[in-house]
Amino acid sequence: MQLTDTKKKELTQKLLFSRLRILNDHAFYGMLLMNMKFSLDPDCPTAYTNAYKIAFSPTFLDELSPREVDFELMHDILHVVL
């Protein structure tokens, strides 16, 4: 995938909208996610967290539906919490 500035902006917006949706629908997870940083990592096959940020493969993130992004963010934040 060619990661242009427009594509970066689109994927970042997808993550931010997901975080807002989670904050609205699942306040506990949303509050935890408010302090997490997000990044795009072309070398990653899917997604990961290092307890300071949640990183996504741009290709993987682009293929996810909005609810799948919500699930992935809640999944990754639980790795940090637990």
Side-chain angles (χ1 to χ4, degrees):
M1 165 187 285
Q2 181 67 20
L3 200 54
T4 63
D5 287 341
T6 304
K7 194 60 169 176
K8 285 180 190 177
K9 185 176 180 179
E10 176 188 323
L11 294 173
T12 301
Q13 189 175 45
K14 191 173 190 176
L15 288 169
L16 295 177
F17 282 156
S18 179
R19 182 168 62 184
L20 288 174
R21 204 170 31 252
I22 293 168
L23 186 60
N24 186 54
D25 297 343
H26 309 281
F28 174 75
Y29 296 101
M31 290 303 296
L32 296 171
L33 286 166
M34 292 306 290
N35 294 314
M36 287 300 290
K37 295 180 190 227
F38 301 130
S39 69
L40 299 173
D41 183 353
D43 297 327
C44 169
T46 55
Y48 68 88
T49 183
N50 65 2
Y52 301 104
K53 70 179 178 183
I54 298 174
F56 281 87
S57 158
T59 306
F60 177 69
L61 181 58
D62 194 39
E63 294 172 355
L64 295 178
S65 72
R67 290 300 173 181
E68 289 172 329
V69 176
D70 295 356
F71 176 85
E72 186 63 38
L73 286 176
M74 289 187 288
H75 171 88
D76 286 336
I77 198 66
L78 281 177
H79 282 294
V80 175
V81 172
L82 299 175

